[in-house]
């Protein structure tokens, strides 16, 4: 039975219907990812379900006693409050009931109040807050105001979780969170006992968390079982079918329009039924809401830079007692696409400035390449003048933009980024967060540059725009430095990663984020194995070292161990093949449609294979070293 049901919902602002008489339901235990283009009404739908807004038409039915908690995209917290007090706001009802019970007001029904407190587990609410803060690694006495955006997001999550809601509503929960925090949130949501409805454009996060995808497309909610990969496969087929149907309808309408305009002889013999069919076709064509436009991205790569973009050797940088970069060396070449990965505050921006030569190191040398033209995308959007118009932001004092040697009118250029001509003279402050990001990209790509520095470009961008930005960066001939916590975006763009490993140390890894995670996981596993082996060795009293120690003879492998070593490559290959097969099943739609009861079993086997693979690789390393 559904926990909540929204029926025949209609919501419109002006002439555009955000919800066009559509419906939605949420079952117990579901984790639903709500996706759609920017401005389609996803946040409005979440507020309607949370009871903060009402639709123009339609009904919302909730199970009796259902508890909901909403974590907004930009949570509103009292900056003067402590973290403990801010989180306790989630238990405002319980606190009020306790206060009424302890006041012993003669007009109150104390038995009823006591029953309600016990039902809500209200006698120990302070303990619940403390336990939640420990789980989320939050300091209870810290003041909310000075906290970072990611920490404030954790406080808002804690505020929702202490209320033990049946339904958790999350609007862009991964914004301001680093990779480690996002992976922590994934585990938290997968272990959450209630239902989850979340809005996010992080495709890797959707793949890891969601059990169903709901798309808000042109006012209608469409449901797709499975994770985001399964949705992508199904959606591709749907769009192809829709395009084919529309093409046929257009052809039929064109034929009927020609027929009805034929000469007198044709008009004498035309049938009433055929004319009615033409009227129906016209009405259908007028009522049809075509797919929304797509951003058209093009970047001027400027003149060619030198082969070496930057060469760093033994570079260190510190602020006071805190070392941001310690003894870092790297050579970055033209055409490299480098992802910078690290927790918030690790020093990614400082390292970027060192690489580009805009900040001098305390020690070590930095040599920058010749003819560098750098374009910088700022995650805080500080370069945008909120009072300037969109046209002036793109091309101040001119109606034309030059892209790759071709002139384009500023109205047409803004149209490529889905800004209507009527909005060209609107101030920047009238734009939403996603629209400001699009405008910043438009401004960035209007300048010739052979080095692109993108600092969190994915925040607030919808999935379609993210995919087009990926395609642009993949084919861009210049050099890209990318700071992002969107794993899928990084995987699809970067050729190497520079990762913060603590205490100011940075290390470069070849490949994508997944390659880095795999290498780091295997390194940790080997270190753990070595530590266990060292810990298991009996402690002996150290003897004086001989003047010339005899070479240590390595023990030969036994016959059984040699056979095991010979068989390990085939076993590792078989495990990897099985893992790929299961990954394809989980990413497709057939498993969810034909055997949904096997989904949990396949997911569990997929996780076990990873453990078996790590064990086999460790064993191969141990036997091979002997």
């Amino acid at each position: 039975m559904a926990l909540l049901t929204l029926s025949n919902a209609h919501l419109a602002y002006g002439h555009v219907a955000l919800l066009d008489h559509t419906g939605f339901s949420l079952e117990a235990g579901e984790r639903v990812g709500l996706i759609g283009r920017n401005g389609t009404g996803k946040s409005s739908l979440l507020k309607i379900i949370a009871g903060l807004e009402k639709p123009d038409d339609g009904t919302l039915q909730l199970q009796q006693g259902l508890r909901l908690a909403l974590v907004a995209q930009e949570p509103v917290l009292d900056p003067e409050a402590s973290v403990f007090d801010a989180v306790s706001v989630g238990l405002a009802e319980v606190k009020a009931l306790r206060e009424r019970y302890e006041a012993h007001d003669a007009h109150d029904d104390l038995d009823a109040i006591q029953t309600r407190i016990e039902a809500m587990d209200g006698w120990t609410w302070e303990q619940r807050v403390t336990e939640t803060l420990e789980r989320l690694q939050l300091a209870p006495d810290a003041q909310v105001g000075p906290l970072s955006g990611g920490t404030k997001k954790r406080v808002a999550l804690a505020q929702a979780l202490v209320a033990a809601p049946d339904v958790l509503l999350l609007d862009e929960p991964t914004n301001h969170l680093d990779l480690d925090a996002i992976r922590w949130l994934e585990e938290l949501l997968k272990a959450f006992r209630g239902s989850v409805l979340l809005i996010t454009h992080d495709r890797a996060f959707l793949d890891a968390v969601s059990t169903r995808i709901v798309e808000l497309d042109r006012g209608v909610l469409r449901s797709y079982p499975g994770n985001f990969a399964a949705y992508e496969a199904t959606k591709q087929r749907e769009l192809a079918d829709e395009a084919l149907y529309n093409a046929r309808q257009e052809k039929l309408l064109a034929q009927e329009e020609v027929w009805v305009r034929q000469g007198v002889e044709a008009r004498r013999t035309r049938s009433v039924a055929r004319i009615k069919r033409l009227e129906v076709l016209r009405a259908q064509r007028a009522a049809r809401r075509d797919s929304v436009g797509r951003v058209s991205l093009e970047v001027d790569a400027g003149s060619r830079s030198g082969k070496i973009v930057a060469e760093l050797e033994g570079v260190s940088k510190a602020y006071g007692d805190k070392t941001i970069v310690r003894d870092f060396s790297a050579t970055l070449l033209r055409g490299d696409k480098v992802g910078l990965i690290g927790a918030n505050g690790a020093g990614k921006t400082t390292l970027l400035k060192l690489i580009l030569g805009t900040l001098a190191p305390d020690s070590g040398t930095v040599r920058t390449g010749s003819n560098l033209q750098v374009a910088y995308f700022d995650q805080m959007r500080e370069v945008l003048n909120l009072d300037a118009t969109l046209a002036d932001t793109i091309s101040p004092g001119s109606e034309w933009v030059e892209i790759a040697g071709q002139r384009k009118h500023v109205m047409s250029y803004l149209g490529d980024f889905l800004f209507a001509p009527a909005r060209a003279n609107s101030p920047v402050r009238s734009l939403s967060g996603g629209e400001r990001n699009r405008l910043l990209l438009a401004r960035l790509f209007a300048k010739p540059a052979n080095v692109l520095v993108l600092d969190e470009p994915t925040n607030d961008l919808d999935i379609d725009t993210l995919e087009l930005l990926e395609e642009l960066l993949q084919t861009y001939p210049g050099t890209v430095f990318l700071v992002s916590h969107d794993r899928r975006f990084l995987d699809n763009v970067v050729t190497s990663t520079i990762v913060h490993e603590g205490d100011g140390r940075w290390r470069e890894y070849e490949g994508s984020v997944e390659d880095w995670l795999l290498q780091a996981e295997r390194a940790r596993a080997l270190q753990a194995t070595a530590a266990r082996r060292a810990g298991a060795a009996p402690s002996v009293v150290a003897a004086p070292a001989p003047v010339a120690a005899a070479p240590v003879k390595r023990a030969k492998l036994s016959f059984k161990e040699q056979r095991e070593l010979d068989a390990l490559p085939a076993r590792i290959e078989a495990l990897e093949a099985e893992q790929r097969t299961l990954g394809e099943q989980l990413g497709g739609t057939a498993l969810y449609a034909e055997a949904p009861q096997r989904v949990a079993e396949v997911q569990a086997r997929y996780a076990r294979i990873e453990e078996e693979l790590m064990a086999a690789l460790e064993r191969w390393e141990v036997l091979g070293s002997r």
Side-chain angles (χ1 to χ4, degrees):
M1 184 179 175
L3 297 178
L4 60 89
T5 304
L6 184 66
S7 307
N8 197 33
H10 184 81
L11 180 69
Y13 290 101
H15 66 285
V16 178
L18 298 179
L19 301 177
D20 196 357
H21 299 285
T22 190
F24 170 76
S25 63
L26 183 66
E27 302 288 337
E30 277 194 308
R31 297 189 298 272
V32 176
L34 178 60
I35 64 173
R37 296 293 295 270
N38 289 333
T40 54
K42 301 185 297 295
S43 294
S44 296
L45 175 61
L46 217 61
K47 289 175 183 175
I48 287 172
I49 292 172
L52 301 178
E53 290 184 6
K54 291 189 178 296
D56 299 334
D57 194 11
T59 57
L60 174 64
Q61 293 179 318
L62 305 178
Q63 272 193 10
Q64 189 173 5
L66 189 72
R67 296 194 300 275
L68 299 95
L70 169 66
V71 180
Q73 187 172 344
E74 297 295 338
V76 178
L77 302 168
D78 182 1
E80 303 297 326
S82 67
V83 168
F84 186 93
D85 291 338
V87 172
S88 302
V89 171
L91 294 169
E93 183 184 355
V94 172
K95 290 169 66 178
L97 286 171
R98 274 260 305 262
E99 288 170 5
R100 282 176 61 190
Y101 184 85
E102 289 164 1
H104 296 292
D105 193 318
H107 300 289
D108 284 332
D109 185 346
L110 295 182
D111 288 337
I113 293 175
Q114 182 178 356
T115 303
R116 181 67 177 153
I117 292 172
E118 289 172 354
M120 298 177 71
D121 195 18
W123 297 117
T124 57
W125 70 262
E126 295 93 343
Q127 182 182 342
R128 281 165 60 187
V129 172
T130 302
E131 289 174 354
T132 305
L133 292 178
E134 287 175 358
R135 274 179 69 198
L136 274 62
Q137 298 176 349
L138 292 168
D141 298 326
Q143 189 179 350
V144 170
L147 298 178
S148 67
T151 308
K152 286 179 181 175
K153 183 74 84 171
R154 285 183 184 237
V155 173
L157 279 166
Q159 190 183 90
L161 290 171
V162 292
D166 303 303
V167 177
L168 190 58
L169 307 172
L170 305 175
D171 193 352
E172 295 289 0
T174 61
N175 277 7
H176 309 299
L177 296 185
D178 55 45
L179 275 175
D180 287 339
I182 291 171
R183 295 174 76 186
W184 160 84
L185 182 58
E186 284 175 6
E187 298 305 317
L188 185 145
L189 293 182
K190 285 191 282 190
F192 181 64
R193 294 180 180 178
S195 299
V196 179
L197 175 61
L198 61 98
I199 298 171
T200 183
H201 298 133
D202 187 327
R203 292 156 292 175
F205 186 75
L206 281 170
D207 262 345
V209 170
S210 59
T211 58
R212 178 162 65 106
I213 299 293
V214 171
E215 181 186 30
L216 181 52
D217 180 23
R218 290 163 279 172
V220 178
L221 289 162
R222 295 182 174 89
S223 180
Y224 301 84
N227 60 8
F228 185 76
Y231 154 79
E232 280 186 305
T234 306
K235 187 64 177 178
Q236 198 66 34
R237 292 194 298 269
E238 282 187 359
L239 288 174
D241 293 342
E242 183 181 357
L244 181 61
Y245 173 78
N246 287 344
R248 287 173 178 167
Q249 290 294 96
E250 292 285 356
K251 184 177 179 181
L252 180 59
L253 177 58
Q255 290 171 348
E256 294 299 297
E257 292 285 5
V258 170
W259 172 82
V260 84
R261 288 175 175 80
Q262 284 176 348
V264 175
E265 290 301 317
R267 286 199 297 273
R268 283 179 187 159
T269 57
R270 64 189 176 186
S271 67
V272 174
R274 193 167 181 180
I275 293 173
K276 283 185 176 178
R277 185 176 71 169
L278 174 60
E279 290 173 352
V280 169
L281 285 170
R282 284 173 175 169
Q284 286 176 346
R285 178 66 182 84
R288 194 172 77 219
R289 295 176 66 178
D290 292 326
S291 296
V292 288
R294 302 188 77 194
V295 175
S296 175
L297 299 181
E298 187 179 2
V299 61
D300 188 345
S303 56
R304 195 174 164 97
S305 71
K307 184 176 181 181
I308 292 180
V309 173
E311 193 172 27
L312 296 87
E313 188 171 345
V315 169
S316 296
K317 183 68 180 178
Y319 291 104
D321 296 334
K322 185 176 182 181
T323 302
I324 305 298
V325 179
R326 187 190 301 274
D327 194 26
F328 177 69
S329 300
T331 301
L332 304 167
L333 305 178
R334 180 182 62 234
D336 283 353
K337 295 173 175 60
V338 184
L340 277 80
I341 299 173
N344 293 329
K348 298 185 290 293
T349 303
T350 300
L351 180 58
L352 268 175
K353 290 179 178 178
L354 289 169
I355 291 171
L356 297 173
T358 59
L359 182 66
D362 296 337
S363 61
T365 59
V366 178
R367 183 164 68 92
T368 56
S370 59
N371 196 30
L372 297 186
Q373 297 172 294
V374 181
Y376 199 99
F377 181 98
D378 176 26
Q379 66 162 321
M380 303 308 292
R381 311 185 189 106
E382 291 175 354
V383 297
L384 290 177
N385 179 358
L386 298 183
D387 296 318
T389 65
L390 275 62
D392 284 341
T393 300
I394 298 300
S395 182
S398 174
E399 294 183 356
W400 299 92
V401 178
E402 190 164 321
I403 304 291
Q406 295 183 346
R407 292 184 79 202
K408 182 177 283 192
H409 197 276
V410 68
M411 296 290 189
S412 173
Y413 185 68
L414 283 168
D416 290 343
F417 287 82
L418 302 185
F419 293 110
R423 302 188 68 185
N425 293 316
S426 301
V428 173
R429 67 173 66 254
S430 67
L431 303 180
S432 67
E435 288 172 327
R436 291 184 190 183
N437 261 19
R438 282 212 310 270
L439 182 67
L440 201 52
L441 286 174
R443 174 190 168 98
L444 181 79
F445 295 160
K447 298 177 179 179
N450 50 36
V451 177
L452 289 179
V453 180
L454 305 176
D455 192 353
E456 293 290 357
T458 60
N459 281 353
D460 302 320
L461 290 183
D462 57 55
I463 290 170
D464 283 349
T465 307
L466 283 177
E467 290 174 348
L468 287 169
L469 183 56
E470 284 171 2
E471 293 173 15
L472 175 78
L473 295 178
Q474 287 164 1
T475 57
Y476 175 64
T479 308
V480 178
F481 294 100
L482 179 59
V483 178
S484 177
H485 300 310
D486 187 324
R487 287 163 294 174
R488 182 73 62 85
F489 187 78
L490 283 166
D491 277 338
N492 292 341
V493 172
V494 303
T495 56
S496 65
T497 55
I498 298 176
V499 182
H500 183 249
E501 297 191 331
D503 194 29
R505 301 202 176 275
W506 298 81
R507 181 177 171 186
E508 187 176 10
Y509 291 85
E510 290 299 318
S512 64
V513 177
E514 289 301 320
D515 295 321
W516 158 60
L517 290 173
L518 186 61
Q519 292 175 62
E521 185 67 33
R522 287 176 178 172
R524 281 195 294 269
L526 290 173
Q527 287 174 0
T529 302
R532 284 198 301 272
R533 218 179 290 131
S539 57
V540 294
V541 178
V547 176
V552 178
K553 256 189 182 179
R554 289 190 179 183
K556 288 185 177 180
L557 295 176
S558 67
F559 177 73
K560 184 177 178 182
E561 287 174 330
Q562 185 62 53
R563 286 187 61 185
E564 183 185 1
L565 178 61
D566 294 341
L568 276 171
R571 172 165 170 73
I572 291 169
E573 188 176 345
L575 285 169
E576 288 177 338
E578 185 184 359
Q579 191 178 48
R580 280 195 301 273
T581 303
L582 294 179
E584 288 169 3
Q585 290 180 12
L586 291 170
T589 57
L591 179 65
Y592 300 95
E594 297 169 9
Q597 69 279 3
R598 290 194 60 239
V599 173
E601 176 190 338
V602 173
Q603 288 174 335
R605 176 56 188 157
Y606 187 89
R608 284 200 305 275
I609 288 175
E610 186 63 31
E611 295 174 4
E612 292 176 19
L613 197 56
M614 290 303 304
L617 287 166
E618 288 176 27
R619 185 62 175 161
W620 191 22
E621 179 77 17
V622 170
L623 294 177
S625 66
R626 289 171 55 191

